[in-house]
Amino acid sequence: MSNLIIVESPTKIKTIKRYLSDDYEVVASKGHVRDLPKSKLGVDIDNNFEPKYVNIKDKEGVIKDIKKLAKKSDHVYLAGDPDREGEAISWHLALLLGLDLNDKNRVTFNELTETGIKAGMSHPRSIDINLVNAQQARRILDRLVGYKLSPFLWRKIRKGLSAGRVQSVAVKMICDRENEIRAFVSQEYWSIDGKFSANGERKTFAAKLNTVDGEKPELKNKEQADEILKRLEGAEFVIDKVKKSVHRKSPAAPFTTSTLQQEASRRLSFQARRTMKTAQELYEGVEINDMGQTGLITYMRTDSLRISDEARAAAYDFIRKKYGDKYIPDTPKKYKTKGNAQDAHEAIRPTHPEVTPDMVKASGVTSDQYKLYKLIWERFIASQMSNCLMDTVSVDISANGCNFKATGYSVKFDGFTVLYEEAKDDEGEKKNVLPPIKSGDSIKVRNLEGNQHFTQPPARYTEASLVKALEEKGIGRPSTYSPTITTILERRYIQKEQKQLVPTELGKIVNKILTENFTDVINVEFTAKIENEFDEIAEGKEQWKQMIREFYGPFEKELEKKINKAIRRK
């Protein structure tokens, strides 16, 4: 009895073979083996958008080797990655090898561990043609848009330029933000800030003017600020109200593809491509002392927040041993996955929570692998820990009809923050430590001053904030964020200035032409709607060729009209 398992990446082979008997041979397709041709459209528009797939040129040797091994095997298992792309690769392989598409020969591994591999092998299924069709719909639609729009840009600007359904919307968002920044007119405003001390203490705390005669003040210039300061000269400042409460701060959810890319950008300054490359390595397996070649994280393309009971139990074991029972929550943490998310996989988490980042570092992994594993591991363990409890104090200070507000907090129980806190794009103000004070106490003003400020334009996108915006607007999916950003950087439509994404002159010109001529296609809402239709196809609720037909009819008419107009002008 001989069995052949076909995976996508060669680096998985060693990990998978460790856990299976000698009856199994493992070979890699090294990604796609068939695709649309590079030199022509490859879609028969007149024949119901039938794709004309060809064998990828530099994969002929790989295909030949796989066919030879398949011929000698009693069973062939298609183990492409557990997503739509992996399903399509498995389908293409099945057609090349003449396999029955109804046979249960498709296996998936959510994690490359002994448990994950044996679970995958014990539950083979037939190829999910709905997932394949969703991938085909995306590939063909992107080909049609890119192949038809790019020559329009050549005609209007110069040869060699390209357009794309998602990439052009991403460029538009970056250009729109740049236009907002340029159009922004800064407004002056003032604040009144005080330093106070209570009960004769020397230590001061900060408070800001909140209301004047019960209304929020709008101080637009120095004169208005000086009026308030004059009104407060010699006034008695009294503690009007002290409100104490306990604030519960919850841990962030485990990572999805999007949040991993955002946090790795903020904390590690990793580009999305670097994050995904490193995550792929951790998923496929690295050498760990006493464990051999092991997949360290679950599959890294996911927008699900689900966690298995086994993983939660393993996290609790670690937390209990390291920190004690009080760091385990009374009820398990459940994180709600967004409505349009694919829930086939778990969130990104360590496959062995007991394998700490220090253990991984000691095994001699690369610096990037260690840093990213540490981030994923800490985020996951913290997500299963107790809330942080903070004693918060809010103080109202009154003087001559003016109300100042001070807020502060102290940590009552550190909870998950003993291990990890989510980074923010804007970290906000530093904490304000307030002394023991009560209502009616008279306090001393140490300093009172007016401060000039100016309203700020919206911030330029960073990779982290662009990924967040794309996800929030429903543009693309976990697997598309990284290649989209990489493409628009490589085509020099945008560039990076420090961490900020800035449109180039070329990017602005391309965006202007596309948005002026193809408003419906280069459109955030329309692109999100198309993404939802891909999901409908994946669930078997919509026919992929019908969906493309409905898109292509109006698109082709508009394109023809614009090209004829451009010819007439010449």
Side-chain angles (χ1 to χ4, degrees):
M1 180 70 73
S2 64
N3 303 282
L4 180 66
I5 300 173
I6 308 172
V7 295
E8 287 183 42
S9 169
T11 52
K12 290 181 184 176
I13 294 172
K14 192 176 175 185
T15 313
I16 292 170
K17 285 184 91 165
R18 272 192 70 209
Y19 302 113
L20 297 175
S21 69
D22 293 339
D23 296 336
Y24 289 88
E25 182 61 53
V26 186
V27 67
S29 69
K30 299 179 183 175
H32 280 274
V33 287
R34 294 203 314 164
D35 197 6
L36 298 174
K38 279 189 174 181
S39 54
K40 52 187 177 182
L41 179 60
V43 180
D44 190 343
I45 293 166
D46 299 327
N47 186 22
N48 206 15
F49 302 96
E50 194 62 36
K52 296 177 178 178
Y53 295 114
V54 295
N55 293 353
I56 295 169
K57 216 171 186 180
D58 60 2
K59 290 290 181 71
E60 292 295 350
V62 172
I63 293 168
K64 194 178 171 185
D65 291 343
I66 289 173
K67 279 184 170 178
K68 201 185 288 181
L69 286 166
K71 221 171 202 177
K72 292 191 290 185
S73 303
D74 296 307
H75 291 290
V76 176
Y77 293 99
L78 305 164
D81 284 351
D83 56 15
R84 292 175 193 173
E85 212 68 31
E87 204 72 20
I89 289 170
S90 299
W91 177 73
H92 282 294
L93 283 165
L95 294 178
L96 275 176
L97 300 174
L99 303 179
D100 186 340
L101 293 177
N102 295 314
D103 276 359
K104 292 190 173 181
N105 51 19
R106 173 76 169 116
V107 293
T108 56
F109 308 125
N110 188 48
E111 55 185 67
L112 292 183
T113 60
E114 184 172 10
T115 306
I117 290 163
K118 288 185 173 174
M121 292 306 299
S122 62
H123 294 94
R125 58 171 173 80
S126 54
I127 286 171
D128 186 334
I129 201 65
N130 292 327
L131 295 182
V132 174
N133 288 341
Q135 188 274 345
Q136 288 197 95
R138 182 190 295 278
R139 183 76 187 95
I140 290 164
L141 198 63
D142 287 348
R143 170 58 65 98
L144 290 169
V145 171
Y147 212 88
K148 296 287 185 177
L149 279 189
S150 298
F152 184 78
L153 291 178
W154 304 346
R155 200 180 281 274
K156 297 288 266 185
I157 309 171
R158 62 171 166 80
K159 281 233 170 203
L161 297 178
S162 68
R165 190 180 55 83
V166 175
Q167 73 178 50
S168 298
V169 173
V171 172
K172 181 182 187 301
M173 286 167 63
I174 293 164
C175 288
D176 287 351
R177 179 60 57 90
E178 197 68 17
N179 292 337
E180 282 178 61
I181 292 166
R182 290 187 188 285
F184 185 83
V185 179
S186 188
Q187 301 288 324
E188 180 184 7
Y189 70 99
W190 285 67
S191 64
I192 308 288
D193 304 295
K195 293 278 186 190
F196 300 89
S197 62
N199 306 321
E201 285 189 14
R202 278 181 136 188
K203 206 170 182 182
T204 62
F205 64 93
K208 280 181 177 292
L209 179 68
N210 185 42
T211 61
V212 176
D213 299 326
E215 300 285 330
K216 285 273 181 194
E218 280 191 34
L219 308 178
K220 293 179 180 176
N221 50 48
K222 187 178 188 299
E223 290 71 32
Q224 290 176 338
D226 285 345
E227 271 182 46
I228 302 289
L229 290 170
K230 195 172 182 187
R231 176 172 171 169
L232 291 168
E233 280 177 13
E236 185 187 1
F237 287 78
V238 177
I239 300 291
D240 191 35
K241 193 163 64 177
V242 177
K243 186 184 174 188
K244 293 183 178 180
S245 59
V246 175
H247 173 68
R248 286 171 173 76
K249 187 177 180 183
S250 299
F255 282 129
T256 60
T257 306
S258 160
T259 55
L260 176 63
Q261 288 177 16
Q262 291 171 50
E263 193 78 340
S265 174
R266 291 189 198 105
R267 282 182 183 251
L268 308 176
S269 297
F270 280 15
Q271 289 187 7
R273 180 165 63 174
R274 186 176 172 188
T275 299
M276 294 310 288
K277 177 183 175 289
T278 308
Q280 183 94 30
E281 291 162 1
L282 293 172
Y283 165 70
E284 290 179 354
V286 292
E287 284 286 339
I288 300 296
N289 294 343
D290 304 325
M291 292 177 74
Q293 183 96 355
T294 304
L296 285 179
I297 64 168
T298 51
Y299 192 57
M300 64 286 155
R301 290 190 183 92
T302 178
D303 42 14
S304 168
L305 295 174
R306 188 168 52 78
I307 289 295
S308 71
D309 292 339
E310 293 80 5
R312 184 175 287 108
Y316 285 176
D317 280 348
F318 178 86
I319 295 162
R320 189 175 285 109
K321 285 172 190 163
K322 174 81 176 172
Y323 300 106
D325 282 338
K326 63 182 179 176
Y327 285 86
I328 293 173
D330 295 333
T331 54
K333 299 278 183 193
K334 294 279 172 78
Y335 298 96
K336 197 168 181 205
T337 298
K338 287 182 183 173
N340 65 344
Q342 311 300 305
D343 199 37
H345 313 300
E346 292 184 56
I348 303 168
R349 62 163 177 83
T351 54
H352 299 284
E354 70 279 7
V355 177
T356 65
D358 285 345
M359 289 163 70
V360 168
K361 191 178 187 181
S363 298
V365 298
T366 68
S367 170
D368 280 8
Q369 287 169 350
Y370 164 68
K371 286 175 184 172
L372 197 68
Y373 180 74
K374 185 173 188 284
L375 193 66
I376 292 165
W377 184 88
E378 288 182 348
R379 173 83 161 223
F380 170 67
I381 296 293
S383 76
Q384 303 306 306
M385 293 175 77
S386 300
N387 292 341
C388 168
L389 302 180
M390 294 183 291
D391 285 323
T392 61
V393 185
S394 175
V395 177
D396 285 354
I397 302 165
S398 294
N400 199 11
C402 297
N403 173 269
F404 285 75
K405 193 172 272 295
T407 55
Y409 71 88
S410 58
V411 175
K412 186 176 184 178
F413 172 60
D414 53 8
F416 74 92
T417 63
V418 71
L419 179 63
Y420 176 92
E421 277 194 83
E422 188 178 19
K424 303 284 184 193
D425 289 319
D426 175 14
E427 290 295 348
E429 295 177 14
K430 290 178 181 173
K431 64 180 179 182
N432 193 21
V433 180
L434 301 180
I437 39 183
K438 62 183 188 299
S439 184
D441 280 0
S442 187
I443 59 168
K444 195 164 187 180
V445 183
R446 297 290 182 182
N447 183 44
L448 207 58
E449 61 183 10
N451 286 307
Q452 185 185 37
H453 309 273
F454 293 93
T455 54
Q456 296 298 308
R460 282 173 171 152
Y461 285 112
T462 60
E463 279 207 22
S465 62
L466 181 62
V467 166
K468 187 178 182 183
L470 288 169
E471 185 186 37
E472 284 174 350
K473 293 175 190 295
I475 297 166
R477 279 293 177 263
S479 57
T480 63
Y481 302 136
S482 167
T484 296
I485 294 169
T486 300
T487 299
I488 58 180
L489 280 165
E490 284 176 349
R491 288 181 178 161
R492 306 196 187 287
Y493 293 161
I494 63 166
Q495 63 191 23
K496 284 181 105 169
E497 291 181 7
Q498 278 119 13
K499 279 189 169 188
Q500 297 178 328
L501 301 177
V502 184
T504 61
E505 283 309 309
L506 175 62
K508 289 176 193 172
I509 293 164
V510 167
N511 177 63
K512 185 173 186 290
I513 286 169
L514 289 176
T515 50
E516 281 178 356
N517 290 283
F518 301 99
T519 316
D520 290 343
V521 178
I522 312 304
N523 173 292
V524 168
E525 290 75 22
F526 176 76
T527 308
K529 176 182 170 286
I530 291 286
E531 207 62 57
N532 287 331
E533 289 187 20
F534 292 150
D535 293 344
E536 296 276 295
I537 293 164
E539 291 166 23
K541 294 175 183 173
E542 189 168 347
Q543 295 299 312
W544 72 275
K545 288 184 177 179
Q546 175 65 22
M547 176 253 181
I548 290 177
R549 194 181 305 115
E550 286 171 5
F551 164 84
Y552 190 73
F555 171 68
E556 188 185 35
K557 274 183 193 166
E558 190 64 22
L559 184 66
E560 207 173 298
K561 197 164 77 180
K562 300 296 182 185
I563 288 172
N564 289 337
K565 192 175 176 184
I567 291 167
R568 282 199 302 273
R569 278 186 178 174
K570 283 194 172 183

